[in-house]
Amino acid sequence: MTNLQPQALVDAAVAAMARAYAPYSHFRVGAALLAADGRIFCGCNIENASYPVTICAERAALSAAVSAGVREFAALAVVGGHEGVLGEICTPCGICRQAIAEFCAPDMPVYLGHAEGFKTLTLGELLPYSFSLMEDKKI
Ligand code: THU
């Protein structure tokens, strides 16, 4: 069951953003990964007093899914904003793009929520020429 409306996935990311732990940057991020079987795995950013220990929302969602045995995905939604207020789109950082590319196809849609709705990009648009050691994913 993957015929979920994109806005529903964005809404799940917004709900996840409310659980962000961001006392240092005050920038809250939420991510929702739609698995091929229809389940949704969410993540939020979890900051740390030792700043580099911080985990981004996208990798938190990916960790939740993979830890549950899920490795096939249909879509991703990401939202973020200062104190959780949506303004412009919040694009995944480079590390998260590479992490997502390990499991997701270049044509997978990524919905980036903003104050007025959401923008749709593909993972391949966000990270062209991603690094891979998998022969079948080589460009
Ligand atoms: N952050 C994410 O959660 N995802 C991204 O792709 C970019 C940045 C978080 C990390 C940190 O807690 C805050 O946003 C500010 O950088």
Side-chain angles (χ1 to χ4, degrees), residues 17 20-29 45 47 51 80-85:
M17 181 178 66
Y21 177 72
Y24 304 106
S25 74
H26 298 278
F27 193 86
R28 294 170 168 270
V29 184
N45 54 330
E47 297 187 346
Y51 292 2
H82 183 75
E83 303 293 12
V85 177

Side-chain angles (χ1 to χ4, degrees), residues 21-22 25 27-29 44-47 54-58 78 90-93 96:
Y21 177 72
S25 74
F27 193 86
R28 294 170 168 270
V29 184
C44 59
N45 54 330
I46 305 168
E47 297 187 346
T54 294
I55 183 166
C56 292
E58 299 90 325
V78 181
C90 173
T91 53
C93 77
C96 286

Side-chain angles (χ1 to χ4, degrees), residues 31-35 37 39-43 61-62 64-66 68 70 73 76:
L33 255 179
L34 177 62
D37 66 6
R39 280 190 284 170
I40 296 174
F41 293 88
C42 292
L62 191 63
V66 176
V70 173
F73 303 102
L76 169 68

